[in-house]
Every structure is written in structure tokens, then in C-alpha cells.
Amino acid sequence: MKCVCEGIDLSDAVLKVVKACSSKTTVPVLECVKLSAKNDGLTLSATDGEISIIKTIKSEIYEEGDVCVPGKYFADFIKKLEGVQITLSTEGKKMDIIYADSQTSMQVLSAEDFPKIDTHINESSFKLKTADLKNFIRSTSFCCAADDSRPILKGCQFVIKGDELCVTALDGFRLATVTGKLISSTGDMEIICPARTLSEIEKMIPEQEEETEIFVQRGIILVSSGDTILTSRLYGGDFIKKENIIPKSFITNVTVDKNALKASIERAAILVRNDKNSLIIFDVNGDKIEISSASEIGNVQEPVKAEIDGKDVKIAMNSKFIIDAVNALNEDKITLSFNNHIQPFICRNEKNQEKLYLILPVRTSGN
């Protein structure tokens, strides 16, 4: 293989695809980026068995061929060559990287063992505004589980019925669900997409791209943008039904200024940020929420004015969970709904209630 390309183009491409390289594997080729020189393009591919990313850039091809280069090392090296033209030339198990008056050699692997990436995924699809897709991802994926004890919770559930999409994520302690409209779909469907995949999709698609179409087939999802294609395995199994978790009614509803509440919570959280549960307490009574926290560092106690409809309630919670939920809401006023100190409570915008965040309280000796 021998080709010439611009450093900036190669750097941009390898930094995109290297995110799909495996970091923990006993299969060396999964740590590699595959380079394929053909016709007038250089195609870079990477996969860890779950997610795959492919990107093609323009290149002068003098000798067609395929080779696998160590992903992280290649990416870091090429990133330092964005301002020059680069020649890549392979011979045996070695690739020469020629730039300006310099030359570097890097060990390579045969491309024969690199997994085949299927890009013919088009059985079903749905299309939505790119801004809406990014909003769905940003508003839910932070609630996905991070550990492997229940793999299905590491993904977001997408449920499509007619022209409506509902995205749900939960980690066992909190839940996020967002509903919105689609531009079109080939039919009703339900998929569970890994949060990591959604994060890469959100970064991959530029803001100026008005619409995004997502293809689904045989437990695989495909999204393309320009010369970049991302595919990923979907999780199989039954997702937890949110209808069984979200309370149908509430005893206490509180409407409060979002920024005032957020500022008070963040101050209270500072003193408990090193504690296991980062515990803060809401004491809802009269016309205010009294927010407090205590640790060996000190204590905070602040009242925040609120409109309260219902009984007084005192409830403890993880400060990070409530901060994440409040940050995801986008109206000046938000509504918090409670039943008691042991049942989950929810946070929503006051008016547009397409987003809902549910949080499990923390039981303490004081409540």
C-alpha cells in the first residue's frame, strides 16, 4: 500500500475512528485501525466488536492495499502532523510515515484478521431532526448504568409508536424519559442502544446537519454523516417498564425557580462531595424548600422560596442525581412532585413536560 494525503484530513479521520478501538482485549487486531487504500480514497476503520466507525478521506493512491496500524499510537502520532502532507507506504510488517524531510516507521499487522464490518443495514429506519436527536441523547444517556451487573441498563430504550419517539434510561437509582416527534419511520419498533454508541453519534453528527436517519437491522444500528459511518450492536432483552416505576399520583407538588434551586443545591453539595451518597435533604414546608447538608467539614442550611401544593415532606437524596436532573430541564420554573420520604419523586419543567426525571430517595436515620 502506498498513498499520499493531507495531515489535517488524516488526523481528523483517525481521531474519529480510534474511539471504536478496543482498550481491553486479548485480540491485538481490535486495538488497531485498518487502513484501506482504494481508487482515490483512504478508508479508516475500527471496531471493538460492539461499535464500529468507518471514515473515508481523499487520497492519492499509488498502490492499493490494506493494513492494520496500532490505533492509539497512530492517532497520537498523526495528530502531531496536521500541518504537513503525509505519505504512507507499507512493506512487509512495517509502515513508513513520510512527512516533510522526515520519516518514521511503525510496526503493522495483516488486515486479513480484521473483522468484517457490515454496512448494509437498512431493514427498518426512523428519521428525526438532528437537534432533537442530540437533545434526546443529552437528556437521557447520563442516567444509564455504568457497571456490567445489568448490561441492558447501560443503554437507552427507544420506543417508536407512529410519529412519536420515547427515550428512557435508568440505572437502578434514577430514571430519565423524554418524548418527542419524528419526521418519519418505517413502523413501530423498540430498540436498546448502548449509551456509549449514542455519545459517539451525538459527537459525530454536526449541528448544521438538519436531519438524521437511523437504520436498524438484525440487532444492529447504523448512522452515517458525510463520509463517516457508525454501526453498533444493540442490547437484547426486556427493558424495565417505566410505567411500573413512575408513580401515578403525588401528594405534594412544588413549583420553584430553577436557577435559585440549582444554586442552593450546588452549594449544599460542596460539603458532602466526598461522602458516599453526597447526601442533601429537602424539607418542604410552608412556602419554601429548606435545603441542607452536613459533613465533618461543616453544614449548610438554605431556604428557597417555592409554591407548594400539598403536605409537608422531608426527603434525603443524592445531590449529584438532583443536580443532573435540574440541569437537564430548560424552563425558568420546574416542578417537583413527592409522596413521602421513601417513595421516588419526579422533576419536570413547569409547562412543557416532555422530560421527566425520577429519583429514588436515600433512607436515613433522621427520616
Side-chain angles (χ1 to χ4, degrees):
M1 183 191 86
K2 184 176 182 180
C3 64
V4 178
C5 55
E6 295 299 325
I8 186 69
D9 295 336
L10 183 58
S11 176
D12 176 66
V14 72
L15 289 174
K16 277 188 170 70
V17 304
V18 76
K19 295 174 183 177
C21 287
S22 178
S23 56
K24 297 178 182 178
T25 181
T26 56
V27 184
V29 77
L30 295 183
E31 297 177 341
C32 293
V33 170
K34 179 184 175 184
L35 306 178
S36 301
K38 190 174 182 181
N39 298 328
D40 60 349
L42 178 66
T43 300
L44 296 84
S45 311
T47 183
D48 63 1
E50 178 178 271
I51 185 172
S52 305
I53 303 176
I54 304 169
K55 183 171 177 63
T56 301
I57 61 172
K58 288 183 177 180
S59 177
E60 294 180 39
I61 308 298
Y62 294 97
E63 184 180 333
E64 293 187 350
D66 306 296
V67 70
C68 289
V69 297
K72 304 295 184 185
Y73 293 105
F74 186 69
D76 288 344
F77 193 82
I78 297 300
K79 187 179 179 181
K80 306 297 183 182
L81 301 176
E82 292 185 347
V84 298
Q85 195 173 70
I86 297 172
T87 300
L88 304 176
S89 178
T90 60
E91 185 177 343
K93 295 183 178 181
K94 183 188 74 169
M95 181 174 71
D96 291 328
I97 305 171
I98 304 165
Y99 49 98
D101 297 324
S102 303
Q103 179 173 321
T104 297
S105 295
M106 191 172 287
Q107 295 294 314
V108 296
L109 298 178
S110 169
E112 292 180 3
D113 297 326
F114 193 84
K116 187 179 186 305
I117 300 172
D118 185 6
T119 56
H120 296 92
I121 309 295
N122 55 15
E123 188 177 87
S124 305
S125 69
F126 57 97
K127 185 186 293 185
L128 69 170
K129 292 180 181 177
T130 297
D132 291 345
L133 175 61
K134 287 177 177 284
N135 178 53
F136 276 117
I137 296 171
R138 291 169 182 165
S139 300
T140 57
S141 58
F142 64 85
C143 281
C144 291
D147 60 72
D148 295 321
S149 59
R150 301 173 75 182
I152 201 168
L153 298 187
K154 293 174 70 177
C156 289
Q157 179 199 48
F158 283 59
V159 177
I160 293 170
K161 291 184 179 179
D163 65 346
E164 187 173 273
L165 170 62
C166 179
V167 181
T168 302
L170 71 155
D171 62 6
F173 301 98
R174 54 180 172 169
L175 173 148
T177 185
V178 182
T179 57
K181 295 294 184 181
L182 296 172
I183 295 173
S184 64
S185 74
T186 57
D188 294 354
M189 68 182 87
E190 179 181 329
I191 62 172
I192 304 165
C193 188
R196 176 185 167 215
T197 298
L198 294 172
S199 176
E200 293 304 329
I201 290 172
E202 197 271 328
K203 295 172 190 171
M204 180 182 88
I205 304 171
E207 298 282 354
Q208 60 267 28
E209 205 161 300
E210 292 186 3
E211 299 176 355
T212 299
E213 188 164 14
I214 297 175
F215 297 90
V216 181
Q217 183 173 319
R218 299 187 307 275
I220 303 289
I221 192 173
L222 182 147
V223 182
S224 65
S225 176
D227 295 319
T228 306
I229 299 173
L230 180 148
T231 68
S232 172
R233 293 184 183 276
L234 300 171
Y235 292 140
D238 295 325
F239 202 76
I240 294 171
K241 295 187 182 297
K242 67 178 185 296
E243 295 81 8
N244 297 336
I245 300 175
I246 301 171
K248 303 291 189 296
S249 60
F250 297 93
I251 293 173
T252 305
N253 291 292
V254 180
T255 302
V256 63
D257 181 86
K258 173 191 163 179
N259 291 329
L261 181 69
K262 177 186 172 184
S264 185
I265 293 170
E266 288 177 341
R267 285 190 291 269
I270 290 171
L271 297 188
V272 292
R273 63 188 174 195
N274 293 323
D275 294 352
K276 181 181 177 182
N277 290 316
S278 300
L279 199 69
I280 64 170
I281 295 172
F282 279 15
D283 188 354
V284 179
N285 65 84
D287 61 351
K288 68 183 185 302
I289 305 173
E290 197 161 276
I291 298 168
S292 62
S293 68
S295 71
E296 59 184 18
I297 306 296
N299 63 78
V300 174
Q301 194 164 336
E302 294 188 8
V304 177
K305 287 186 178 181
E307 299 171 27
I308 299 170
D309 180 16
K311 295 182 179 180
D312 294 352
V313 62
K314 189 174 184 180
I315 188 167
M317 68 200 70
N318 184 305
S319 60
K320 181 182 185 308
F321 294 170
I322 185 67
I323 288 171
D324 285 345
V326 170
N327 280 337
L329 297 171
N330 54 2
E331 290 185 3
D332 292 337
K333 287 194 174 183
I334 62 175
T335 300
L336 310 175
S337 301
F338 307 92
N339 278 317
N340 53 48
H341 68 278
I342 59 173
Q343 287 187 299
F345 66 96
I346 66 169
C347 314
R348 290 182 288 192
N349 286 315
E350 180 189 25
K351 296 176 182 176
N352 185 341
Q353 299 193 343
E354 291 177 344
K355 296 181 181 180
L356 181 149
Y357 297 94
L358 175 144
I359 300 171
L360 286 179
V362 179
R363 296 196 187 197
T364 67
S365 56
N367 67 358

